């Protein structure tokens, strides 16, 4: 069933269609929330809130943009609200915490790799995740949209509500910042 068919059924109150839509996009929404919030519990809460908002407002989705653009915009807004709440509460994340233990974004090991190759691959992934997390929120977000979710410049521009040129220049600056952080670990790349 296509997204459009599921959305049409959702607008008619079909909960099964909404469940299918949620199952299809729950991983992407969680990954986006996690990349913005850098906290497993907050990302889980935000993901749930995103789908509650989608359920309540699906009737207002007009289809002028892709469903994913609308969904990611809702996710971005929910995460930004969570960040504002976090700032008011004085939220901190310990640099000693090992967040990756609960991180479903982490890749599963391939059975074809030797233990040494698996370790090296895991270490590279950890370093890249840490480097992305250390970027400013606007850089982290644009890298996530472009390189992880593989959205087009037009889709990113609609989500961020900015011109394509701004998306391109911000993405270039973000990639350069990431490249600079990763250049310190040349032995793994």
């Amino acid at each position: 069933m296509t997204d459009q068919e599921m959305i049409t059924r959702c607008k008619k109150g079909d909960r099964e269609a909404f469940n299918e839509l949620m199952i299809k996009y729950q991983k992407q929404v969680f990954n986006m929330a996690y990349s913005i919030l850098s906290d497993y519990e907050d990302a889980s809460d935000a993901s749930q809130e995103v789908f509650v908002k989608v359920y309540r407002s699906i009737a207002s989705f007009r289809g002028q943009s892709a469903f994913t653009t609308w969904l990611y915009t809702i996710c971005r807004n929910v995460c930004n609200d969570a960040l504002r709440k976090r700032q008011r509460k004085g939220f901190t994340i310990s640099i000693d915490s090992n967040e990756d233990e609960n991180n479903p974004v982490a890749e599963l090991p391939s059975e074809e790799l030797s233990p040494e190759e698996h370790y090296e691959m895991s270490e590279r992934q950890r370093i890249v995740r840490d480097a992305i997390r250390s970027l400013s929120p606007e850089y982290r977000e644009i890298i996530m949209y472009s390189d992880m979710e593989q959205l087009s410049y037009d889709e990113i521009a609609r989500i961020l509500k900015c011109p394509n040129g701004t998306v391109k220049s911000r993405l270039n600056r973000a990639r350069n910042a990431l490249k600079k952080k990763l250049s310190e670990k040349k032995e793994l790349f």
Side-chain angles (χ1 to χ4, degrees):
M1 183 178 333
T2 67
D3 284 358
Q4 189 55 47
E5 291 169 337
M6 285 187 276
I7 292 165
T8 301
R9 287 177 50 197
C10 288
K11 287 182 176 186
K12 293 178 182 177
D14 185 339
R15 288 187 181 186
E16 185 60 36
F18 179 77
N19 285 339
E20 289 178 39
L21 203 59
M22 189 174 74
I23 289 167
K24 181 175 181 179
Y25 289 107
Q26 66 187 0
K27 183 177 179 181
Q28 292 96 321
V29 168
F30 177 85
N31 287 345
M32 177 181 291
Y34 188 81
S35 72
I36 294 170
L37 299 172
S38 298
D39 181 79
Y40 181 85
E41 295 300 323
D42 287 349
S44 294
D45 292 345
S47 298
Q48 290 177 9
E49 187 174 340
V50 166
F51 284 109
V52 167
K53 287 182 182 273
V54 167
Y55 183 78
R56 289 181 178 161
S57 59
I58 192 94
S60 68
F61 176 66
R62 294 175 293 195
Q64 293 176 329
S65 63
F67 175 74
T68 53
T69 302
W70 185 70
L71 178 65
Y72 292 152
T73 300
I74 292 171
C75 185
R76 180 174 189 253
N77 291 338
V78 166
C79 290
N80 286 339
D81 289 346
L83 289 172
R84 281 191 287 277
K85 287 177 190 174
R86 191 187 279 179
Q87 286 176 339
R88 286 193 299 265
K89 290 181 181 179
F91 181 85
T92 58
I93 297 175
S94 169
I95 60 172
D96 297 323
S97 71
N98 186 1
E99 293 177 10
D100 290 333
E101 289 176 5
N102 294 320
N103 183 2
V105 179
E107 296 293 322
L108 295 175
S110 169
E111 294 176 9
E112 298 173 12
L113 298 177
S114 71
E116 183 179 297
E117 291 169 326
H118 176 263
Y119 173 77
E120 288 175 8
M121 182 182 73
S122 297
E123 191 63 14
R124 280 193 297 272
Q125 288 174 341
R126 183 190 62 76
I127 289 169
V128 170
R129 275 194 310 271
D130 289 348
I132 291 172
R133 281 187 196 140
S134 71
L135 295 173
S136 70
E138 83 174 2
Y139 286 175
R140 195 170 53 231
E141 181 178 44
I142 198 131
I143 283 179
M144 189 268 311
Y145 289 141
S146 175
D147 298 334
M148 295 174 175
E149 295 298 328
Q150 298 181 340
L151 299 179
S152 69
Y153 291 139
D154 289 337
E155 290 172 311
I156 297 169
R158 281 192 294 271
I159 292 169
L160 299 179
K161 296 180 177 131
C162 66
N164 274 5
T166 302
V167 169
K168 291 175 185 177
S169 65
R170 192 179 297 168
L171 182 58
N172 184 50
R173 288 192 304 270
R175 286 178 176 158
N176 285 335
L178 183 59
K179 182 179 177 181
K180 183 177 178 184
K181 289 183 182 295
L182 292 174
S183 70
E184 299 165 4
K185 305 283 186 181
K186 287 182 181 177
E187 70 277 1
L188 289 172
F189 297 96

